Amino acid sequence: MNFIEFFKWFDDLIALPAVIIFLGTGLLLTFKLRFLQFHGIARLITIIKNGLPAASQKDANHITHMISPFQALCTAMGTTIGMGNLMGPPLAVFIGGPGALFWLMVYIFFSSATKFTEVVFALHTRIKSASGEIIGGPMRYLEVVHPYLAHWYACIMLFVFISWSSVQSNTIAQVYAQEGMPIWLTGFIITSLAYLVLIGGSERVGETASKLVPFMFFFYVIFALVFLFQDIPALKNALILICKSAFTPSAAVGGAVGASIYQAMRMGFYKGIFITEAGMGTSSIPHAVANVQYATDQGLLAMFSMVSDALLSMLSGMLVLVNGVWMQGEFRSTLLYEVFVLKSPLLGKYVFLITITLFVFTTLIGNSYNGRQVFGALTNFRYVNSYLIISMILIFCATLVQPKIVWGFMEFLLPFVAIPNLIGLLILAYRYPHVLQVHK
């Protein structure tokens, strides 16, 4: 049994329990929060109109390296708005059929309650290290449940962040290889630039993310909509196909193999986990360094930011459906690239290359920053630069590996951190419900 076969065997083994745990947690927290996705809109409007109240002067004086709530949001979105949004939905459609997009949207809705809970407890339990750095996220709030749980999470997440970033570097290297650029050169450039940003700490990461994330989001959305509305009948048929396939088996996937309803649900939920990071706890790490007074306000920002995940994911999935590339050939991470080249052979190719470069770069920075924070929590922020150098070397090496191996290893690691995190979140939510009460 080779690596690819092993990853597939393990994935099949834990698929059903993982789906039940991830979706079940989202459902329980949604009911616990009384469908905050709806009644939290009023507070969100107030936040948008008046801004977020900053932390008290007392807190700000004794904690260094804090960043603005918007920078924290952009840093977190830099990891969730990335290759997952571009490559995850097309691959979900390729394997699970069009119905996978429907179940992906279902997961995003319910798991937004999970993300809210993660961010609130990350801020509520954050502490200051001896060097003045903030330690916050699952490695802190899980310690409230049990120290062993927090240490397990932190140790495994060091590998997860590197594997996530490896998916980014591997995919962009595969895309640029089609343009004639050597794979090793793409890997070297992207990791070198990421390292230059990361050595600047929280402030430089937050500043970079706040500039790039809004631009790349609107840039991609505009061109995706232009391509989709070029063929209105095909767009309408694709929407109908998504709804039908969500509750009936797909006739063909990947050109040959049929997909069951369960397979559509499984792929939709699995890619939803990777795209949103809800349930992983990872996006709460940059939120934990936000200079904000009320933890629930930052939680609301995080929760409603998942609308952007839903929009980008739907656009990416629709692009491969409308243009039919989801039924052609074998598994590959360049489906969306093929769509852009097909729709606009001259301009489309360069639009996609710019978009994917920005998405990969911000995700690579965000994941590596989160890895730095986890490593710092374990070592009291000693040797963090050594960790960054080693992680960049490993991410560079991953560009030279087969895409299936990189994706398989990443998905293999997810349950080992997600399940303890979800169990811990449920314990905290029901033990300390007052922490989750939204400020009026």
PDB file of all heavy atoms in Angstrom, residues 162-196:
ATOM      1  N   ILE A 162       2.024  23.402   8.294  1.00  0.00           N
ATOM      2  CA  ILE A 162       3.004  23.190   7.237  1.00  0.00           C
ATOM      3  C   ILE A 162       2.376  22.437   6.070  1.00  0.00           C
ATOM      4  O   ILE A 162       2.615  22.765   4.897  1.00  0.00           O
ATOM      5  CB  ILE A 162       4.235  22.429   7.790  1.00  0.00           C
ATOM      6  CG1 ILE A 162       5.008  23.333   8.758  1.00  0.00           C
ATOM      7  CG2 ILE A 162       5.145  21.980   6.647  1.00  0.00           C
ATOM      8  CD1 ILE A 162       6.146  22.641   9.471  1.00  0.00           C
ATOM      9  N   SER A 163       1.532  21.444   6.371  1.00  0.00           N
ATOM     10  CA  SER A 163       0.888  20.680   5.290  1.00  0.00           C
ATOM     11  C   SER A 163      -0.104  21.547   4.530  1.00  0.00           C
ATOM     12  O   SER A 163      -0.220  21.456   3.305  1.00  0.00           O
ATOM     13  CB  SER A 163       0.192  19.436   5.849  1.00  0.00           C
ATOM     14  OG  SER A 163      -0.926  19.773   6.637  1.00  0.00           O
ATOM     15  N   TRP A 164      -0.852  22.428   5.230  1.00  0.00           N
ATOM     16  CA  TRP A 164      -1.770  23.347   4.557  1.00  0.00           C
ATOM     17  C   TRP A 164      -1.013  24.270   3.611  1.00  0.00           C
ATOM     18  O   TRP A 164      -1.417  24.483   2.471  1.00  0.00           O
ATOM     19  CB  TRP A 164      -2.531  24.176   5.592  1.00  0.00           C
ATOM     20  CG  TRP A 164      -3.803  23.550   6.047  1.00  0.00           C
ATOM     21  CD1 TRP A 164      -4.393  22.435   5.548  1.00  0.00           C
ATOM     22  CD2 TRP A 164      -4.645  24.018   7.103  1.00  0.00           C
ATOM     23  NE1 TRP A 164      -5.556  22.167   6.233  1.00  0.00           N
ATOM     24  CE2 TRP A 164      -5.732  23.116   7.187  1.00  0.00           C
ATOM     25  CE3 TRP A 164      -4.581  25.086   7.978  1.00  0.00           C
ATOM     26  CZ2 TRP A 164      -6.752  23.270   8.113  1.00  0.00           C
ATOM     27  CZ3 TRP A 164      -5.594  25.244   8.911  1.00  0.00           C
ATOM     28  CH2 TRP A 164      -6.671  24.338   8.974  1.00  0.00           C
ATOM     29  N   SER A 165       0.083  24.823   4.116  1.00  0.00           N
ATOM     30  CA  SER A 165       0.880  25.717   3.274  1.00  0.00           C
ATOM     31  C   SER A 165       1.498  24.955   2.105  1.00  0.00           C
ATOM     32  O   SER A 165       1.692  25.514   1.026  1.00  0.00           O
ATOM     33  CB  SER A 165       1.981  26.379   4.116  1.00  0.00           C
ATOM     34  OG  SER A 165       1.418  27.186   5.133  1.00  0.00           O
ATOM     35  N   SER A 166       1.803  23.692   2.347  1.00  0.00           N
ATOM     36  CA  SER A 166       2.374  22.863   1.273  1.00  0.00           C
ATOM     37  C   SER A 166       1.384  22.668   0.136  1.00  0.00           C
ATOM     38  O   SER A 166       1.768  22.624  -1.039  1.00  0.00           O
ATOM     39  CB  SER A 166       2.806  21.503   1.837  1.00  0.00           C
ATOM     40  OG  SER A 166       3.833  21.660   2.797  1.00  0.00           O
ATOM     41  N   VAL A 167       0.098  22.538   0.482  1.00  0.00           N
ATOM     42  CA  VAL A 167      -0.942  22.443  -0.544  1.00  0.00           C
ATOM     43  C   VAL A 167      -0.934  23.699  -1.413  1.00  0.00           C
ATOM     44  O   VAL A 167      -1.068  23.629  -2.644  1.00  0.00           O
ATOM     45  CB  VAL A 167      -2.332  22.238   0.095  1.00  0.00           C
ATOM     46  CG1 VAL A 167      -3.444  22.413  -0.936  1.00  0.00           C
ATOM     47  CG2 VAL A 167      -2.423  20.848   0.716  1.00  0.00           C
ATOM     48  N   GLN A 168      -0.762  24.852  -0.760  1.00  0.00           N
ATOM     49  CA  GLN A 168      -0.747  26.118  -1.494  1.00  0.00           C
ATOM     50  C   GLN A 168       0.430  26.171  -2.468  1.00  0.00           C
ATOM     51  O   GLN A 168       0.271  26.470  -3.658  1.00  0.00           O
ATOM     52  CB  GLN A 168      -0.640  27.297  -0.517  1.00  0.00           C
ATOM     53  CG  GLN A 168      -1.587  27.266   0.663  1.00  0.00           C
ATOM     54  CD  GLN A 168      -3.035  27.341   0.259  1.00  0.00           C
ATOM     55  OE1 GLN A 168      -3.402  28.094  -0.630  1.00  0.00           O
ATOM     56  NE2 GLN A 168      -3.865  26.552   0.919  1.00  0.00           N
ATOM     57  N   SER A 169       1.624  25.913  -1.933  1.00  0.00           N
ATOM     58  CA  SER A 169       2.820  26.021  -2.768  1.00  0.00           C
ATOM     59  C   SER A 169       2.822  24.973  -3.883  1.00  0.00           C
ATOM     60  O   SER A 169       3.248  25.250  -5.005  1.00  0.00           O
ATOM     61  CB  SER A 169       4.083  25.871  -1.906  1.00  0.00           C
ATOM     62  OG  SER A 169       4.136  24.594  -1.304  1.00  0.00           O
ATOM     63  N   ASN A 170       2.340  23.774  -3.580  1.00  0.00           N
ATOM     64  CA  ASN A 170       2.300  22.715  -4.574  1.00  0.00           C
ATOM     65  C   ASN A 170       1.368  23.063  -5.724  1.00  0.00           C
ATOM     66  O   ASN A 170       1.696  22.879  -6.900  1.00  0.00           O
ATOM     67  CB  ASN A 170       1.871  21.400  -3.913  1.00  0.00           C
ATOM     68  CG  ASN A 170       1.878  20.232  -4.880  1.00  0.00           C
ATOM     69  OD1 ASN A 170       0.937  20.037  -5.639  1.00  0.00           O
ATOM     70  ND2 ASN A 170       2.945  19.446  -4.862  1.00  0.00           N
ATOM     71  N   THR A 171       0.188  23.594  -5.377  1.00  0.00           N
ATOM     72  CA  THR A 171      -0.802  23.921  -6.405  1.00  0.00           C
ATOM     73  C   THR A 171      -0.335  25.051  -7.312  1.00  0.00           C
ATOM     74  O   THR A 171      -0.457  24.968  -8.537  1.00  0.00           O
ATOM     75  CB  THR A 171      -2.144  24.304  -5.750  1.00  0.00           C
ATOM     76  OG1 THR A 171      -2.575  23.229  -4.921  1.00  0.00           O
ATOM     77  CG2 THR A 171      -3.205  24.580  -6.806  1.00  0.00           C
ATOM     78  N   ILE A 172       0.216  26.105  -6.707  1.00  0.00           N
ATOM     79  CA  ILE A 172       0.655  27.226  -7.545  1.00  0.00           C
ATOM     80  C   ILE A 172       1.847  26.813  -8.414  1.00  0.00           C
ATOM     81  O   ILE A 172       1.992  27.280  -9.548  1.00  0.00           O
ATOM     82  CB  ILE A 172       0.999  28.466  -6.690  1.00  0.00           C
ATOM     83  CG1 ILE A 172       1.087  29.699  -7.593  1.00  0.00           C
ATOM     84  CG2 ILE A 172       2.280  28.280  -5.892  1.00  0.00           C
ATOM     85  CD1 ILE A 172       1.219  31.000  -6.847  1.00  0.00           C
ATOM     86  N   ALA A 173       2.673  25.911  -7.907  1.00  0.00           N
ATOM     87  CA  ALA A 173       3.794  25.426  -8.712  1.00  0.00           C
ATOM     88  C   ALA A 173       3.291  24.625  -9.910  1.00  0.00           C
ATOM     89  O   ALA A 173       3.842  24.729 -11.016  1.00  0.00           O
ATOM     90  CB  ALA A 173       4.723  24.572  -7.851  1.00  0.00           C
ATOM     91  N   GLN A 174       2.210  23.843  -9.690  1.00  0.00           N
ATOM     92  CA  GLN A 174       1.629  23.068 -10.795  1.00  0.00           C
ATOM     93  C   GLN A 174       1.035  23.991 -11.860  1.00  0.00           C
ATOM     94  O   GLN A 174       1.145  23.726 -13.066  1.00  0.00           O
ATOM     95  CB  GLN A 174       0.536  22.133 -10.255  1.00  0.00           C
ATOM     96  CG  GLN A 174       1.016  21.056  -9.306  1.00  0.00           C
ATOM     97  CD  GLN A 174       1.937  20.055  -9.961  1.00  0.00           C
ATOM     98  OE1 GLN A 174       1.748  19.697 -11.119  1.00  0.00           O
ATOM     99  NE2 GLN A 174       2.948  19.613  -9.228  1.00  0.00           N
ATOM    100  N   VAL A 175       0.412  25.069 -11.407  1.00  0.00           N
ATOM    101  CA  VAL A 175      -0.199  26.017 -12.356  1.00  0.00           C
ATOM    102  C   VAL A 175       0.875  26.731 -13.172  1.00  0.00           C
ATOM    103  O   VAL A 175       0.799  26.806 -14.407  1.00  0.00           O
ATOM    104  CB  VAL A 175      -1.075  27.048 -11.600  1.00  0.00           C
ATOM    105  CG1 VAL A 175      -1.514  28.168 -12.550  1.00  0.00           C
ATOM    106  CG2 VAL A 175      -2.297  26.366 -10.998  1.00  0.00           C
ATOM    107  N   TYR A 176       1.898  27.254 -12.488  1.00  0.00           N
ATOM    108  CA  TYR A 176       2.949  27.983 -13.208  1.00  0.00           C
ATOM    109  C   TYR A 176       3.789  27.052 -14.079  1.00  0.00           C
ATOM    110  O   TYR A 176       4.407  27.505 -15.047  1.00  0.00           O
ATOM    111  CB  TYR A 176       3.841  28.747 -12.227  1.00  0.00           C
ATOM    112  CG  TYR A 176       3.310  30.123 -11.888  1.00  0.00           C
ATOM    113  CD1 TYR A 176       2.600  30.356 -10.718  1.00  0.00           C
ATOM    114  CD2 TYR A 176       3.517  31.193 -12.752  1.00  0.00           C
ATOM    115  CE1 TYR A 176       2.100  31.612 -10.409  1.00  0.00           C
ATOM    116  CE2 TYR A 176       3.031  32.458 -12.463  1.00  0.00           C
ATOM    117  CZ  TYR A 176       2.316  32.662 -11.283  1.00  0.00           C
ATOM    118  OH  TYR A 176       1.821  33.912 -10.991  1.00  0.00           O
ATOM    119  N   ALA A 177       3.803  25.763 -13.738  1.00  0.00           N
ATOM    120  CA  ALA A 177       4.528  24.801 -14.579  1.00  0.00           C
ATOM    121  C   ALA A 177       3.908  24.741 -15.971  1.00  0.00           C
ATOM    122  O   ALA A 177       4.608  24.496 -16.965  1.00  0.00           O
ATOM    123  CB  ALA A 177       4.512  23.428 -13.930  1.00  0.00           C
ATOM    124  N   GLN A 178       2.579  24.979 -16.050  1.00  0.00           N
ATOM    125  CA  GLN A 178       1.909  24.988 -17.347  1.00  0.00           C
ATOM    126  C   GLN A 178       2.294  26.223 -18.172  1.00  0.00           C
ATOM    127  O   GLN A 178       2.044  26.277 -19.368  1.00  0.00           O
ATOM    128  CB  GLN A 178       0.396  24.939 -17.164  1.00  0.00           C
ATOM    129  CG  GLN A 178      -0.066  23.663 -16.461  1.00  0.00           C
ATOM    130  CD  GLN A 178      -1.548  23.427 -16.602  1.00  0.00           C
ATOM    131  OE1 GLN A 178      -2.166  23.848 -17.570  1.00  0.00           O
ATOM    132  NE2 GLN A 178      -2.136  22.725 -15.643  1.00  0.00           N
ATOM    133  N   GLU A 179       2.891  27.190 -17.503  1.00  0.00           N
ATOM    134  CA  GLU A 179       3.378  28.390 -18.197  1.00  0.00           C
ATOM    135  C   GLU A 179       4.867  28.300 -18.474  1.00  0.00           C
ATOM    136  O   GLU A 179       5.482  29.275 -18.921  1.00  0.00           O
ATOM    137  CB  GLU A 179       3.092  29.635 -17.347  1.00  0.00           C
ATOM    138  CG  GLU A 179       1.613  29.902 -17.118  1.00  0.00           C
ATOM    139  CD  GLU A 179       0.871  30.159 -18.411  1.00  0.00           C
ATOM    140  OE1 GLU A 179       1.389  30.904 -19.257  1.00  0.00           O
ATOM    141  OE2 GLU A 179      -0.226  29.588 -18.588  1.00  0.00           O
ATOM    142  N   GLY A 180       5.460  27.142 -18.167  1.00  0.00           N
ATOM    143  CA  GLY A 180       6.867  26.942 -18.473  1.00  0.00           C
ATOM    144  C   GLY A 180       7.824  27.297 -17.359  1.00  0.00           C
ATOM    145  O   GLY A 180       9.051  27.205 -17.534  1.00  0.00           O
ATOM    146  N   MET A 181       7.324  27.704 -16.184  1.00  0.00           N
ATOM    147  CA  MET A 181       8.216  28.043 -15.079  1.00  0.00           C
ATOM    148  C   MET A 181       8.587  26.779 -14.308  1.00  0.00           C
ATOM    149  O   MET A 181       7.717  25.990 -13.956  1.00  0.00           O
ATOM    150  CB  MET A 181       7.557  29.056 -14.136  1.00  0.00           C
ATOM    151  CG  MET A 181       8.462  29.478 -12.977  1.00  0.00           C
ATOM    152  SD  MET A 181       7.719  30.736 -11.901  1.00  0.00           S
ATOM    153  CE  MET A 181       7.852  32.176 -12.968  1.00  0.00           C
ATOM    154  N   PRO A 182       9.863  26.575 -14.005  1.00  0.00           N
ATOM    155  CA  PRO A 182      10.278  25.399 -13.229  1.00  0.00           C
ATOM    156  C   PRO A 182       9.600  25.367 -11.857  1.00  0.00           C
ATOM    157  O   PRO A 182       9.454  26.405 -11.207  1.00  0.00           O
ATOM    158  CB  PRO A 182      11.795  25.584 -13.083  1.00  0.00           C
ATOM    159  CG  PRO A 182      12.179  26.490 -14.206  1.00  0.00           C
ATOM    160  CD  PRO A 182      11.010  27.407 -14.418  1.00  0.00           C
ATOM    161  N   ILE A 183       9.193  24.189 -11.452  1.00  0.00           N
ATOM    162  CA  ILE A 183       8.481  24.048 -10.185  1.00  0.00           C
ATOM    163  C   ILE A 183       9.321  24.544  -9.009  1.00  0.00           C
ATOM    164  O   ILE A 183       8.825  25.234  -8.117  1.00  0.00           O
ATOM    165  CB  ILE A 183       8.061  22.570  -9.980  1.00  0.00           C
ATOM    166  CG1 ILE A 183       6.898  22.227 -10.919  1.00  0.00           C
ATOM    167  CG2 ILE A 183       7.651  22.303  -8.528  1.00  0.00           C
ATOM    168  CD1 ILE A 183       6.456  20.785 -10.862  1.00  0.00           C
ATOM    169  N   TRP A 184      10.608  24.228  -9.022  1.00  0.00           N
ATOM    170  CA  TRP A 184      11.465  24.618  -7.896  1.00  0.00           C
ATOM    171  C   TRP A 184      11.575  26.146  -7.790  1.00  0.00           C
ATOM    172  O   TRP A 184      11.658  26.693  -6.673  1.00  0.00           O
ATOM    173  CB  TRP A 184      12.861  24.007  -8.032  1.00  0.00           C
ATOM    174  CG  TRP A 184      13.667  24.566  -9.178  1.00  0.00           C
ATOM    175  CD1 TRP A 184      13.768  24.094 -10.445  1.00  0.00           C
ATOM    176  CD2 TRP A 184      14.497  25.749  -9.140  1.00  0.00           C
ATOM    177  NE1 TRP A 184      14.581  24.888 -11.216  1.00  0.00           N
ATOM    178  CE2 TRP A 184      15.059  25.906 -10.434  1.00  0.00           C
ATOM    179  CE3 TRP A 184      14.819  26.666  -8.154  1.00  0.00           C
ATOM    180  CZ2 TRP A 184      15.916  26.950 -10.756  1.00  0.00           C
ATOM    181  CZ3 TRP A 184      15.672  27.724  -8.457  1.00  0.00           C
ATOM    182  CH2 TRP A 184      16.212  27.856  -9.753  1.00  0.00           C
ATOM    183  N   LEU A 185      11.564  26.830  -8.920  1.00  0.00           N
ATOM    184  CA  LEU A 185      11.694  28.288  -8.908  1.00  0.00           C
ATOM    185  C   LEU A 185      10.446  28.937  -8.305  1.00  0.00           C
ATOM    186  O   LEU A 185      10.558  29.881  -7.509  1.00  0.00           O
ATOM    187  CB  LEU A 185      11.924  28.804 -10.330  1.00  0.00           C
ATOM    188  CG  LEU A 185      12.114  30.316 -10.476  1.00  0.00           C
ATOM    189  CD1 LEU A 185      13.296  30.796  -9.638  1.00  0.00           C
ATOM    190  CD2 LEU A 185      12.300  30.695 -11.947  1.00  0.00           C
ATOM    191  N   THR A 186       9.263  28.436  -8.680  1.00  0.00           N
ATOM    192  CA  THR A 186       8.021  28.953  -8.089  1.00  0.00           C
ATOM    193  C   THR A 186       8.023  28.763  -6.584  1.00  0.00           C
ATOM    194  O   THR A 186       7.685  29.678  -5.829  1.00  0.00           O
ATOM    195  CB  THR A 186       6.800  28.227  -8.696  1.00  0.00           C
ATOM    196  OG1 THR A 186       6.816  28.360 -10.111  1.00  0.00           O
ATOM    197  CG2 THR A 186       5.504  28.816  -8.141  1.00  0.00           C
ATOM    198  N   GLY A 187       8.409  27.575  -6.136  1.00  0.00           N
ATOM    199  CA  GLY A 187       8.454  27.295  -4.698  1.00  0.00           C
ATOM    200  C   GLY A 187       9.429  28.194  -3.970  1.00  0.00           C
ATOM    201  O   GLY A 187       9.130  28.684  -2.871  1.00  0.00           O
ATOM    202  N   PHE A 188      10.588  28.439  -4.580  1.00  0.00           N
ATOM    203  CA  PHE A 188      11.604  29.281  -3.937  1.00  0.00           C
ATOM    204  C   PHE A 188      11.126  30.724  -3.802  1.00  0.00           C
ATOM    205  O   PHE A 188      11.295  31.352  -2.756  1.00  0.00           O
ATOM    206  CB  PHE A 188      12.899  29.235  -4.755  1.00  0.00           C
ATOM    207  CG  PHE A 188      13.986  30.122  -4.214  1.00  0.00           C
ATOM    208  CD1 PHE A 188      14.712  29.748  -3.093  1.00  0.00           C
ATOM    209  CD2 PHE A 188      14.255  31.351  -4.815  1.00  0.00           C
ATOM    210  CE1 PHE A 188      15.715  30.577  -2.582  1.00  0.00           C
ATOM    211  CE2 PHE A 188      15.246  32.181  -4.313  1.00  0.00           C
ATOM    212  CZ  PHE A 188      15.977  31.794  -3.189  1.00  0.00           C
ATOM    213  N   ILE A 189      10.519  31.251  -4.851  1.00  0.00           N
ATOM    214  CA  ILE A 189      10.064  32.654  -4.830  1.00  0.00           C
ATOM    215  C   ILE A 189       8.968  32.862  -3.794  1.00  0.00           C
ATOM    216  O   ILE A 189       9.022  33.793  -2.982  1.00  0.00           O
ATOM    217  CB  ILE A 189       9.575  33.078  -6.233  1.00  0.00           C
ATOM    218  CG1 ILE A 189      10.739  33.129  -7.222  1.00  0.00           C
ATOM    219  CG2 ILE A 189       8.882  34.442  -6.165  1.00  0.00           C
ATOM    220  CD1 ILE A 189      10.324  33.379  -8.657  1.00  0.00           C
ATOM    221  N   ILE A 190       7.947  31.981  -3.802  1.00  0.00           N
ATOM    222  CA  ILE A 190       6.800  32.181  -2.919  1.00  0.00           C
ATOM    223  C   ILE A 190       7.179  32.020  -1.453  1.00  0.00           C
ATOM    224  O   ILE A 190       6.721  32.769  -0.586  1.00  0.00           O
ATOM    225  CB  ILE A 190       5.642  31.226  -3.311  1.00  0.00           C
ATOM    226  CG1 ILE A 190       4.318  31.702  -2.709  1.00  0.00           C
ATOM    227  CG2 ILE A 190       5.916  29.807  -2.908  1.00  0.00           C
ATOM    228  CD1 ILE A 190       3.733  32.896  -3.374  1.00  0.00           C
ATOM    229  N   THR A 191       8.057  31.070  -1.150  1.00  0.00           N
ATOM    230  CA  THR A 191       8.456  30.875   0.256  1.00  0.00           C
ATOM    231  C   THR A 191       9.393  31.983   0.731  1.00  0.00           C
ATOM    232  O   THR A 191       9.331  32.397   1.890  1.00  0.00           O
ATOM    233  CB  THR A 191       9.131  29.505   0.452  1.00  0.00           C
ATOM    234  OG1 THR A 191      10.172  29.336  -0.517  1.00  0.00           O
ATOM    235  CG2 THR A 191       8.123  28.379   0.307  1.00  0.00           C
ATOM    236  N   SER A 192      10.235  32.481  -0.146  1.00  0.00           N
ATOM    237  CA  SER A 192      11.160  33.565   0.227  1.00  0.00           C
ATOM    238  C   SER A 192      10.390  34.835   0.547  1.00  0.00           C
ATOM    239  O   SER A 192      10.669  35.521   1.551  1.00  0.00           O
ATOM    240  CB  SER A 192      12.161  33.825  -0.903  1.00  0.00           C
ATOM    241  OG  SER A 192      12.948  32.688  -1.153  1.00  0.00           O
ATOM    242  N   LEU A 193       9.416  35.186  -0.301  1.00  0.00           N
ATOM    243  CA  LEU A 193       8.613  36.384  -0.058  1.00  0.00           C
ATOM    244  C   LEU A 193       7.801  36.247   1.231  1.00  0.00           C
ATOM    245  O   LEU A 193       7.666  37.204   2.006  1.00  0.00           O
ATOM    246  CB  LEU A 193       7.683  36.642  -1.240  1.00  0.00           C
ATOM    247  CG  LEU A 193       8.350  37.079  -2.551  1.00  0.00           C
ATOM    248  CD1 LEU A 193       7.322  37.178  -3.671  1.00  0.00           C
ATOM    249  CD2 LEU A 193       9.066  38.416  -2.365  1.00  0.00           C
ATOM    250  N   ALA A 194       7.245  35.061   1.462  1.00  0.00           N
ATOM    251  CA  ALA A 194       6.466  34.835   2.682  1.00  0.00           C
ATOM    252  C   ALA A 194       7.338  34.997   3.919  1.00  0.00           C
ATOM    253  O   ALA A 194       6.916  35.602   4.911  1.00  0.00           O
ATOM    254  CB  ALA A 194       5.843  33.438   2.656  1.00  0.00           C
ATOM    255  N   TYR A 195       8.566  34.502   3.862  1.00  0.00           N
ATOM    256  CA  TYR A 195       9.471  34.607   5.013  1.00  0.00           C
ATOM    257  C   TYR A 195       9.786  36.067   5.332  1.00  0.00           C
ATOM    258  O   TYR A 195       9.843  36.464   6.505  1.00  0.00           O
ATOM    259  CB  TYR A 195      10.761  33.829   4.739  1.00  0.00           C
ATOM    260  CG  TYR A 195      11.782  33.950   5.845  1.00  0.00           C
ATOM    261  CD1 TYR A 195      11.594  33.289   7.051  1.00  0.00           C
ATOM    262  CD2 TYR A 195      12.915  34.749   5.694  1.00  0.00           C
ATOM    263  CE1 TYR A 195      12.522  33.407   8.075  1.00  0.00           C
ATOM    264  CE2 TYR A 195      13.854  34.877   6.700  1.00  0.00           C
ATOM    265  CZ  TYR A 195      13.646  34.207   7.895  1.00  0.00           C
ATOM    266  OH  TYR A 195      14.556  34.333   8.908  1.00  0.00           O
ATOM    267  N   LEU A 196       9.974  36.882   4.296  1.00  0.00           N
ATOM    268  CA  LEU A 196      10.275  38.304   4.515  1.00  0.00           C
ATOM    269  C   LEU A 196       9.140  39.014   5.249  1.00  0.00           C
ATOM    270  O   LEU A 196       9.376  39.919   6.054  1.00  0.00           O
ATOM    271  CB  LEU A 196      10.540  38.988   3.170  1.00  0.00           C
ATOM    272  CG  LEU A 196      11.834  38.588   2.450  1.00  0.00           C
ATOM    273  CD1 LEU A 196      11.911  39.254   1.088  1.00  0.00           C
ATOM    274  CD2 LEU A 196      13.047  38.951   3.307  1.00  0.00           C
TER     275      LEU A 196
END
